[in-house]
Amino acid sequence: MPQISPGKSTPNAFPHEMLREIYEQPAALRRTLAAYLKEQDLNPSIAASLAAWSNPSGEVLIAASGSSRHSGLAAEIILEDLCGLAVDVEYSSEYSLREGAERRHPSVIVLSQSGETSDTLASLRAARRRGHRTLAITNAAASTMAQEADVSMPLAAGIERAVPATKSFTCQLAVLYLLALYECARLHQMNAATLAAHIAALRALPDSIESQLDPWRSQIAALAAKYKAAASFLYLGRGVHYAIAREGALKLKEASYVHAEGYPTGELKHGPNALVSDRVPLVVLATVDPTLDGSVIRYEKTIQLLRDMQAQGARVIALANTGDTTVPALVSDCIFVAPAPEHLLPIAEVVPLQFFSYFMALEHGVDVDRPRNLSKAVVEQPVA
Ligand code: F6R
């Protein structure tokens, strides 16, 4: 396996942009948070500009593609759980071609790293034709989407060069979480103390991720060597973690050419379990926020599934809270993630999955920064 030069203190030593961009995430998150927070509080001028997007009906529609759509899936749960909004997530390539009268009046979010993806731009334009208020969340403040939407919330991830999205994805999750906090404040869904606690937890995340990067990197390089012969992986997650299961699977496919799919954990036994074998391991998100009843229930159900999988002889890589002793006893390999609130865990737990894709790509000899048949922005000519 190719040798990786030492880590974050010598950034020029990174052999690939993808690895560098994985390591840049704490700094990218800090810059993004600084753009949307005023010290320890929400920024009133951002709240004022979001008023041009916020919706009295409480309906939100998110349109995006690929990884950006996965951050939309996480946002669906976050905006519904924290703010009580009603959120739908569409594939841009479908929403942009939908016809017929629309009786709903959602505020629309388009999510796009590049801000130029043809299908997402077409969705933005379709939403505007329908008279919906629009918000663009992109990593390019001067992009077409940012300019055409009613409101723009740019990320401060910095230029992302590797085709597999990494730092743009975690910064999208951070901005969507911030959007949820702004909506909670607008709707009086959180008192000042609760809001302050959410902001403090968000602000603590970059340091927490930074302290885990090197241990994840060395553990996961070894895991990739161990699992490199697998034919396919099934990634499983519940609730907000399902979005991360989907993202982990997409990242593995595009970076390493190894097949993978993401499913809601509870769907495994409704078909995909027939695939599970020595050559088809599982990657199970089994982190938990012990302060949240719903998270504990999901965790307990996941533990039951892990017991069943152990009895079935499945090979399982799990992600679990640092300090958890139940999960490691039930699985082949366990990656620890420092505890965080339920809706912030995705920002941390996707990082070890990014490392796994990166090291699997190296094991398979793939040019991880430029995988075949893919481009950084899918921009198509209009149909003649
Ligand atoms: C995955 C990836 C793609 C993009 C998708 C949308 O790593 O990069 O799936 O997420 O092509 O691109 P943007 O976000 O630029 O609209």
Side-chain angles (χ1 to χ4, degrees):
M1 196 187 72
Q3 289 302 303
I4 305 296
S5 313
K8 59 197 174 200
S9 53
T10 52
N12 291 335
F14 290 122
H16 297 99
E17 298 291 353
M18 182 176 175
L19 186 63
R20 180 202 311 280
E21 288 163 1
I22 290 172
Y23 266 86
E24 282 174 357
Q25 289 178 107
L29 285 165
R30 282 186 202 107
R31 279 195 305 273
T32 300
L33 300 188
Y36 291 98
L37 293 172
K38 202 169 179 194
E39 318 224 315
Q40 305 310 317
D41 214 341
L42 299 180
N43 185 336
S45 70
I46 289 176
S49 60
L50 275 172
W53 172 79
S54 300
N55 184 341
S57 76
E59 290 173 308
V60 173
L61 187 143
I62 298 175
S65 297
S67 290
S68 292
R69 183 172 177 279
H70 297 151
S71 68
L73 290 176
E76 176 180 19
I77 305 269
I78 295 168
L79 289 165
E80 290 190 352
D81 283 1
L82 296 186
C83 322
L85 298 174
V87 185
D88 283 323
V89 184
E90 301 274 358
Y91 291 96
S92 301
S93 54
E94 293 291 323
Y95 179 73
S96 57
L97 299 179
R98 201 66 70 64
E99 285 172 7
E102 195 168 18
R103 295 180 65 188
R104 292 174 305 169
H105 297 289
S107 286
V108 170
I109 304 174
V110 287
L111 292 169
S112 172
Q113 185 282 132
S114 60
E116 304 295 345
T117 299
S118 299
D119 289 328
T120 310
L121 182 56
S123 295
L124 170 64
R125 290 176 176 164
R128 286 177 63 78
R129 274 196 305 278
R130 291 170 184 153
H132 303 325
R133 300 172 180 189
T134 54
L135 165 62
I137 298 178
T138 74
N139 194 32
S143 63
T144 312
M145 284 180 220
Q147 290 181 45
E148 291 191 11
D150 295 316
V151 182
S152 161
M153 288 180 86
L155 316 176
I159 293 173
E160 189 175 64
R161 291 192 171 82
V163 166
T166 53
K167 61 180 181 170
S168 66
F169 181 77
T170 44
C171 287
Q172 277 176 344
L173 290 175
V175 167
L176 288 161
Y177 188 84
L178 283 158
L179 176 66
L181 298 186
Y182 278 99
E183 285 295 280
C184 282
R186 180 181 70 84
L187 296 164
H188 306 290
Q189 294 277 103
M190 268 183 199
N191 63 34
T194 310
L195 190 60
H198 280 70
I199 292 172
L202 180 58
R203 277 199 178 280
L205 207 54
D207 286 358
S208 168
I209 291 174
E210 192 155 59
S211 69
Q212 298 173 82
L213 288 172
D214 284 339
W216 279 333
R217 175 177 173 171
S218 39
Q219 181 192 7
I220 293 168
L223 277 186
K226 178 174 172 183
Y227 285 87
K228 71 176 173 199
S232 176
F233 287 81
L234 300 180
Y235 285 64
L236 305 177
R238 297 181 194 273
V240 75
H241 312 283
Y242 164 61
I244 303 308
R246 294 286 302 264
E247 173 62 6
L250 176 67
K251 206 97 304 176
L252 188 70
K253 275 188 279 214
E254 66 175 330
S256 72
Y257 309 161
V258 175
H259 179 257
E261 296 299 337
Y263 287 98
T265 308
E267 287 301 299
L268 180 70
K269 294 186 179 174
H270 298 282
N273 198 19
L275 297 171
V276 176
S277 71
D278 227 29
R279 298 205 63 219
V280 182
L282 299 171
V283 178
V284 180
L285 287 111
T287 53
V288 61
D289 176 351
T291 68
L292 200 71
D293 290 348
S295 179
V296 172
I297 292 168
R298 283 190 287 278
Y299 171 76
E300 285 167 354
K301 289 183 83 70
T302 299
I303 294 296
Q304 186 52 51
L305 181 106
L306 292 177
R307 286 204 178 95
D308 296 346
M309 289 302 107
Q310 191 177 49
Q312 190 182 294
R315 298 170 80 199
V316 180
I317 302 173
L319 265 65
N321 285 21
T322 306
D324 187 321
T325 52
T326 307
V327 172
L330 296 172
V331 299
S332 326
D333 291 283
C334 188
I335 300 166
F336 289 111
V337 177
E342 175 79 349
H343 300 103
L344 289 177
L345 273 168
I347 302 178
E349 67 196 6
V350 74
V351 180
L353 302 184
Q354 296 167 348
F355 272 121
F356 189 61
S357 306
Y358 174 75
F359 285 113
M360 285 293 277
L362 297 197
E363 293 291 345
H364 286 262
V366 175
D367 177 1
V368 67
D369 289 338
R370 281 169 293 278
R372 67 187 174 209
N373 308 333
L374 298 176
S375 57
K376 193 64 190 155
V378 180
V379 181
E380 291 157 8
Q381 296 307 315
V383 180

